[in-house]
Amino acid sequence: MRRKLAALLLAAAKTTNALRVPGALGAAARTYAQCMDKAPLATKAATSAAIFGASDACAQKLEQVKEPDATRLLTTTAIGGLYFAPAAHVWYAQITKLIPKNGLKEILTKALLGQIFFGPLVTIVFFAAACAQGEGLKTLPAKIKADLLQVQIAGVGFWPFVDLISYAFIPIAYIPLFVNCASFVWTIFLSLKSRGAKK
């Protein structure tokens, strides 16, 4: 059943004619699929930048800042487009080549490797950006020591479920898009956590 569903999703991803959703949503889906066919990495970068930027904007709203921090917003947007998108593009392609099967054991292994290697790097980049905007990168080691483990523990309750759906049902090319959607909430958390020391 899982393989049949994955095959159907892959077929839908490879041909814009398969995207029969009516109205504006259908037009957007077809346009996105065309962009993915022509320029997959650039499309993922633009998507990540938009979602990361929106996440930070929401985080600032939750913090009830008096004036929006444009530098912080642009920095988070850049992290999404210039770091997360290409990193995720490479990570998911390589991890799928390394572990091509999608049984429960293999999916859990991929999720574990993501928590050990990919996740901490994303978190550290967020921490580095926050430190650079604050007291400087000299504070990064202390920030990592104080908060990285807590963030990773929190991630164990979120990302394995995202990975389970990603590897079991989503075509490889579209996993970063799905992860981007899931990361909307997570990026809000990271934005808040990475700047927690400033409060």
Side-chain angles (χ1 to χ4, degrees), residues 75-129:
T75 299
T76 305
T77 300
I79 291 173
L82 301 178
Y83 171 73
F84 181 82
H89 178 80
V90 172
W91 172 262
Y92 287 107
Q94 294 304 313
I95 198 68
T96 303
K97 287 182 180 179
L98 180 65
I99 309 174
K101 294 184 179 180
N102 273 333
L104 181 59
K105 179 181 177 181
E106 288 79 15
I107 289 174
L108 291 176
T109 300
K110 294 175 188 178
L112 177 62
L113 291 174
Q115 287 296 304
I116 293 173
F117 297 107
F118 186 67
L121 289 176
V122 174
T123 302
I124 290 171
V125 169
F126 263 90
F127 286 176

Side-chain angles (χ1 to χ4, degrees), residues 9-96:
L9 287 169
L10 181 59
K14 287 184 175 180
T15 172
T16 58
N17 291 329
L19 299 173
R20 299 295 186 183
V21 182
L25 182 60
R30 288 189 290 274
T31 299
Y32 190 85
Q34 290 172 347
C35 291
M36 282 289 289
D37 287 340
K38 295 178 181 178
L41 184 54
T43 302
K44 293 172 186 177
T47 304
S48 294
I51 291 177
F52 273 55
S55 295
D56 187 69
C58 289
Q60 293 193 47
K61 285 286 187 181
L62 291 174
E63 291 174 357
Q64 298 181 335
V65 295
K66 293 181 180 180
E67 294 184 6
D69 188 338
T71 301
R72 168 180 161 177
L73 178 63
L74 290 174
T75 299
T76 305
T77 300
I79 291 173
L82 301 178
Y83 171 73
F84 181 82
H89 178 80
V90 172
W91 172 262
Y92 287 107
Q94 294 304 313
I95 198 68
T96 303

Side-chain angles (χ1 to χ4, degrees), residues 115-182:
Q115 287 296 304
I116 293 173
F117 297 107
F118 186 67
L121 289 176
V122 174
T123 302
I124 290 171
V125 169
F126 263 90
F127 286 176
C131 291
Q133 289 181 258
E135 298 177 5
L137 289 176
K138 65 180 183 295
T139 62
L140 179 59
K143 182 67 176 173
I144 292 173
K145 184 178 180 180
D147 291 332
L148 181 60
L149 181 59
Q150 294 179 21
V151 171
Q152 293 311 116
I153 291 173
V156 170
F158 180 75
W159 285 112
F161 299 101
V162 174
D163 288 336
L164 179 63
I165 296 172
S166 298
Y167 292 121
F169 301 116
I170 308 297
I172 297 172
Y174 283 77
I175 288 179
L177 173 61
F178 176 74
V179 171
N180 271 328
C181 294

